[in-house]
Amino acid sequence: MSDIARILISEEEIERATERIAAEIDRDYKDADGRIVLVCVLKGSIVFMGDLMKKVTVPVEIECVRVSSYGSGTTSGGNIDLILDVDRPDIRDCHLIVVEDIIDSGNTLTFLVKHLLNKGAKSVRTVTLLDKPSRRKVEFKTDYVGFEIPDEFVIGYGLDYDEKYRALPYIGVLDPSVYS
Ligand code: PRP
C-alpha cells in the first residue's frame, strides 16, 4: 500500500506558484539598494529554495540557517535554538528574504525575522511555499505565499516524516496509517 494518501499539490502547480513568487520578488526588489540575499531555512526549504533561486532574475546571493524547536512554545517566537546562523560582516547592506517550505505555528519565522533584524539586516521579508493558517499560535503574515493548505500531514518537495519523503517532486498527504 502506498504511504501517500493523495497528491495535494502537483509538480506543475508548484512550478507555476514558484514562477509567480519569483516574479513578485523581481518586481519588489528590482531597484533595491544593497545586496539581496535568499536565506534557506534548513532542511525542509532546500528544494523550494533551489527552484526559487533559479527563477528569480534580480541578482541574489544565498545563505542558510537552521533552527531547532522544542516544547510547545506558545509565546512569541516559541522555544527555538539557532543551530546555524547568517554570519556575514556586510549584513547591514543586505535585504534578506527568508525562504520557508511551510509556516505552521508561526514560531520559526517570528523568531528568525526578529533575530535577523536584531543582527542589523537592512530589511527582512519572508516567503513560504505552504501556509497552514489554521495552526497559527502567533500572528504572522508572510510576504509571499505559494498555497494556503488545510491541516493535513503533508510531505514531499523538502518536507519529511521521520526524514523520509523529502525527495518527492510533489506535495502529498501522508496516509495516517504511517504515523498512527
Ligand atoms: C518545519 C518547517 C519550518 C517550521 C515551521 O521545520 O520547515 O521551518 O517547521 O513550523 P512553525 O511555523 O510551527 O515554526 P522542521 O522543524 O520540521 O525541520 P526541517 O525543516 O529540518 O524538516
Side-chain angles (χ1 to χ4, degrees):
M1 193 187 73
S2 169
D3 292 349
I4 316 299
R6 66 179 202 283
I7 294 178
L8 184 66
I9 307 172
S10 70
E11 235 180 307
E12 293 73 23
E13 289 171 314
I14 294 171
E15 187 175 9
R16 281 201 296 276
T18 308
E19 282 166 359
R20 170 177 55 78
I21 292 169
E24 290 169 5
I25 291 173
D26 284 344
R27 176 199 66 203
D28 294 348
Y29 286 85
K30 64 178 187 314
D31 298 321
D33 54 335
R35 295 164 179 264
I36 306 162
V37 183
L38 298 178
V39 180
C40 177
V41 186
L42 297 173
K43 301 177 194 173
S45 307
I46 200 160
V47 183
F48 179 45
M49 173 84 168
D51 283 345
L52 183 65
M53 64 189 275
K54 287 183 286 184
K55 293 191 189 300
V56 169
T57 63
V58 291
V60 291
E61 303 170 22
I62 63 167
E63 294 286 342
C64 293
V65 292
R66 187 157 186 215
V67 301
S68 103
S69 42
Y70 53 92
S72 59
T74 49
T75 55
S76 177
N79 299 310
I80 290 176
D81 278 339
L82 198 56
I83 297 169
L84 176 67
D85 199 358
V86 174
D87 183 21
R88 48 191 299 166
D90 63 347
I91 193 153
R92 289 185 185 280
D93 193 34
C94 293
H95 294 286
L96 306 182
I97 306 173
V98 181
V99 180
E100 268 286 26
D101 52 340
I102 188 164
I103 175 169
D104 196 338
S105 69
N107 285 335
T108 303
L109 281 178
T110 299
F111 170 85
L112 281 173
V113 169
K114 191 172 163 203
H115 171 74
L116 294 168
L117 285 171
N118 279 343
K119 283 183 80 101
K122 215 173 169 76
S123 71
V124 181
R125 282 189 182 162
T126 57
V127 48
T128 188
L129 178 65
L130 306 176
D131 185 357
K132 269 188 186 175
S134 62
R135 296 266 301 176
R136 211 67 100 245
K137 287 184 186 162
V138 290
E139 200 177 316
F140 191 93
K141 201 174 173 317
T142 35
D143 298 290
Y144 309 96
V145 178
F147 303 92
E148 281 196 6
I149 61 167
D151 187 14
E152 294 187 280
F153 201 127
V154 286
I155 43 81
Y157 201 71
L159 290 100
D160 75 308
Y161 169 66
D162 192 24
E163 296 301 327
K164 296 191 274 283
Y165 312 107
R166 292 194 198 271
L168 293 175
Y170 54 81
I171 304 288
V173 175
L174 193 61
D175 194 289
S177 65
V178 178
Y179 56 87
S180 54

